[in-house]
């Protein structure tokens, strides 16, 4: 899935309480991609693209898209951030769940059990219309519902 959609899903699923929670969940939703592709984007913007090897990006992607890697982080988030903060971080495993069926063997397959296993699903690319169009419709529907529900729950009769 594209990075922006991950943020939108993270925000709507985990951070609806207030703006701070929304943006925290949004960041955790984009976090796995930001941590893996961010160094490449930054290096490219600074003119150092040749310094970032493709294998490095694959390693970061595999690391940040693993439930096995996220699990101990979840414990740390709970210990140091508390229950409410930990709920916001659930946008991260949601990101992984969405990527499993929407990444093919041709573009960063999601090794969600790494380092315990190299297993992955050869999914359908998120960029294909059969995935991309329903994704936009689902996001639009979720945000429309949230907006309407929020608007009408404030009205007193």
């Amino acid at each position: 899935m594209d990075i922006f959609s991950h943020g939108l899903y993270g925000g709507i699923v985990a951070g609806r309480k207030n703006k701070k929670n929304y943006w925290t969940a949004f960041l955790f939703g984009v976090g796995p991609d930001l941590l893996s592709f961010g160094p490449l984007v930054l290096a490219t913007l600074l003119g150092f693209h040749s310094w970032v090897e493709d294998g490095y990006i694959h390693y970061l992607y595999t690391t940040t898209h693993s439930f096995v890697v996220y699990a101990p982080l979840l414990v740390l988030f709970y210990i140091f951030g508390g229950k409410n903060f930990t709920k916001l971080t659930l946008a991260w495993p949601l990101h992984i769940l969405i990527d499993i069926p929407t990444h093919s063997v041709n573009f960063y397959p999601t090794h969600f059990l790494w380092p315990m296993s190299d297993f992955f699903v050869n999914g359908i690319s998120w960029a294909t219309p059969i995935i991309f169009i329903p994704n936009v419709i689902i996001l639009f529907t979720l945000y429309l519902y949230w907006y309407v529900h929020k608007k009408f729950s404030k009205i007193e009769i």
Side-chain angles (χ1 to χ4, degrees):
M1 193 61 58
D2 66 288
I3 190 169
F4 189 65
S5 291
H6 283 303
L8 292 173
Y9 279 117
I12 194 80
V13 170
R16 293 184 312 267
K17 188 176 181 181
N18 56 46
K19 285 182 183 181
K20 180 182 176 188
N21 285 4
Y22 177 86
W23 288 109
T24 302
F26 185 96
L27 286 173
F28 274 99
V30 300
D33 284 348
L34 199 59
L35 292 171
S36 52
F37 297 114
L40 175 64
V41 171
L42 187 60
T44 301
L45 290 174
L46 296 174
F48 301 115
H49 180 268
S50 61
W51 290 14
V52 181
E53 296 178 24
D54 190 45
Y56 175 72
I57 303 303
H58 278 281
Y59 175 76
L60 286 175
Y61 180 87
T62 300
T63 303
T64 61
H65 286 73
S66 169
F67 290 126
V68 177
V69 172
Y70 174 78
L73 293 175
L74 178 67
V75 173
L76 292 173
F77 292 146
Y78 186 78
I79 291 170
F80 295 107
K83 185 178 177 181
N84 291 331
F85 178 73
T86 304
K87 287 180 185 178
L88 301 175
T89 73
L90 294 177
W92 186 328
L94 177 63
H95 176 124
I96 299 168
L97 277 174
I98 292 170
D99 273 358
I100 292 170
T102 61
H103 279 246
S104 72
V105 70
N106 299 323
F107 184 77
Y108 293 96
T110 305
H111 299 267
F112 57 95
L113 297 175
W114 182 87
M116 296 175 69
S117 171
D118 281 333
F119 177 77
F120 63 89
V121 174
N122 186 12
I124 302 170
S125 171
W126 61 267
T128 61
I130 196 167
I131 300 294
F132 187 77
I133 293 170
N135 172 53
V136 172
I137 292 169
I138 290 168
L139 282 170
F140 178 79
T141 304
L142 286 171
Y143 276 86
L144 180 64
Y145 175 79
W146 183 31
Y147 174 78
V148 169
H149 179 66
K150 191 174 173 182
K151 198 80 159 163
F152 285 108
S153 67
K154 290 182 180 179
I155 297 175
E156 294 185 29
I157 299 176

